Amino acid sequence: MKIVVLAGGTSTERAISIVSGTKVCEALRSRGHQAILIDVFCGKEGLQPKEAFTTEYDLESEVAYIEGFNDQIEKLQEERREFFGPQVLEVCREADVVFMALHGLCGEDGKIQATFDLMGIAYTGSGYLGSALAMDKAITKQLFRENGVPTPAGMILKKSDPRPAFAELDMEFPCVVKAPCGGSSVGVYIVEDEAAFAQALEDCFALEEKAVVEAYVRGREFSVGVVDGKAYPIIEIAPLVGFYDYHNKYQAGSTVETCPAELNEELTARMQRYAEEAYRALRLENYARMDFMMDEQNRMYCLEANTLPGMTPTSLLPQEAAALGMSFAQLCELLINVSMK
């Protein structure tokens, strides 16, 4: 198959997206596919769409080319009105499918998916509606509540409203303050006192117009992939220090990950059921990953959904697939086949 692996972009998760895209492209090429890696925002001047899949391909040099734009992204955003880089849409039209290796805003939020729908371009992952709903943690929380998916108690504060004192919120410390549309735990703060709460709000409002404030759940952290509506084996995430923030997600050796998680049959079935219900509540399609906390009384809380989860061989969803006997390359092919079905 002719496959464009779309990565990079302009979000705070650009660097992680490039890693995901590189590994996916490498895996697909190892399976005999004509896969090429393209930066959705930077594109490539002079690339000929009809020849892109037939010429000699050096993945390592393409990665270096894409990474060469990393320090120029803000400047390019100021100079350009168009989001899609040179030749990106033209090459995607020539492909059989686009593998979405994007993370964060302008990747996971449904905008690119809507564009591809209008242009008749096939792509992996959820459509524009599910992507948009899951990207906003405020909307996610509302839909979880309405559909019986347990989620931590909380509320949504707006930047335009007067700043409330913590005592007015009928909550207790510690609590969690997070930007609704951040990814990879960017803009997530666990606060212990009034001063930290006020600072966390300011930091979130510097990123977005809203902030989610929710109860802190002390306990064990898990993630559950859902592929084609069916939950995969559960993985437990145990950071050695702090919580599963950006550093612990991507710094080797900072987190102990156990898959399948050490849970009894009843708890495993319940969490997998909640993951599938969360997937349906958010109108997701093809595949996603749900994050959970479980307290000392074995009460489970779904925190959020990731519609384009990290895709390196050591990422969470590939580890869950490996527990089913599936290689990373086989998983990449499966996600394409499920999406094209």
Side-chain angles (χ1 to χ4, degrees), residues 25 29 33-37 44 47-48 50-62:
C25 190
R29 292 187 69 83
H33 298 287
Q34 294 173 290
I36 61 173
L37 183 68
K44 191 168 187 181
L47 184 64
Q48 299 300 313
K50 292 189 180 299
E51 299 174 8
F53 302 93
T54 58
T55 56
E56 290 291 322
Y57 192 73
D58 184 344
L59 178 58
E60 187 174 330
S61 66
E62 290 301 319

Side-chain angles (χ1 to χ4, degrees), residues 3-261:
I3 304 169
V4 167
V5 180
L6 209 56
T10 59
S11 82
T12 55
E13 298 170 82
R14 172 181 171 84
I16 305 305
S17 170
I18 294 171
V19 175
S20 283
T22 301
K23 294 301 183 183
V24 169
C25 190
E26 188 176 67
L28 291 173
R29 292 187 69 83
S30 76
R31 303 284 288 185
H33 298 287
Q34 294 173 290
I36 61 173
L37 183 68
I38 295 181
D39 185 330
V40 66
F41 181 68
C42 300
K44 191 168 187 181
E45 296 281 0
L47 184 64
Q48 299 300 313
K50 292 189 180 299
E51 299 174 8
F53 302 93
T54 58
T55 56
E56 290 291 322
Y57 192 73
D58 184 344
L59 178 58
E60 187 174 330
S61 66
E62 290 301 319
V63 174
Y65 176 82
I66 292 171
E67 291 180 333
F69 288 98
N70 286 355
D71 295 334
Q72 306 174 45
I73 298 301
E74 289 187 13
K75 181 183 177 184
L76 289 172
Q77 285 180 285
E78 293 172 359
E79 295 175 350
R80 278 181 24 199
R81 294 183 62 183
E82 301 86 357
F83 175 74
F84 290 98
Q87 304 303 314
V88 170
L89 290 175
E90 291 81 357
V91 174
C92 288
R93 273 178 152 163
E94 294 296 321
D96 296 310
V97 65
V98 175
F99 194 109
M100 300 286 277
L102 297 163
H103 305 314
L105 290 171
C106 294
E108 272 184 280
D109 57 7
K111 294 177 183 177
I112 293 174
Q113 289 82 352
T115 302
F116 284 175
D117 283 345
L118 290 172
M119 299 182 70
I121 295 172
Y123 56 90
T124 62
S126 287
Y128 71 90
L129 177 59
S131 298
L133 294 175
M135 188 70 198
D136 190 321
K137 298 180 185 69
I139 294 175
T140 294
K141 184 170 285 292
Q142 291 173 329
L143 288 172
F144 283 173
R145 286 172 176 164
E146 292 173 5
N147 289 273
V149 178
T151 192
M155 63 197 65
I156 299 155
L157 301 181
K158 296 181 180 179
K159 183 177 181 178
S160 57
D161 292 341
R163 300 287 189 277
F166 188 78
E168 301 173 42
L169 303 184
D170 193 28
M171 296 185 70
E172 297 179 355
F173 289 119
C175 73
V176 180
V177 180
K178 55 189 177 184
C181 296
S184 286
S185 298
V186 174
V188 177
Y189 310 91
I190 298 175
V191 300
E192 303 278 353
D193 54 42
E194 186 84 37
F197 172 71
Q199 184 60 56
L201 280 184
E202 290 304 315
D203 291 344
C204 283
F205 289 145
L207 298 171
E208 300 183 38
E209 297 298 312
K210 296 182 294 184
V212 174
V213 182
E214 66 182 18
Y216 175 69
V217 179
R218 193 180 305 277
R220 300 163 67 186
E221 188 164 356
F222 302 88
S223 191
V224 188
V226 179
V227 177
D228 204 15
K230 181 68 176 175
Y232 269 29
I234 300 168
I235 186 167
E236 181 168 6
I237 307 151
L240 299 179
V241 177
F243 72 105
Y244 197 51
D245 59 6
Y246 188 94
H247 171 83
N248 285 328
K249 278 182 167 73
Y250 303 116
Q251 181 64 44
S254 61
T255 303
V256 176
E257 296 164 351
T258 306
C259 185

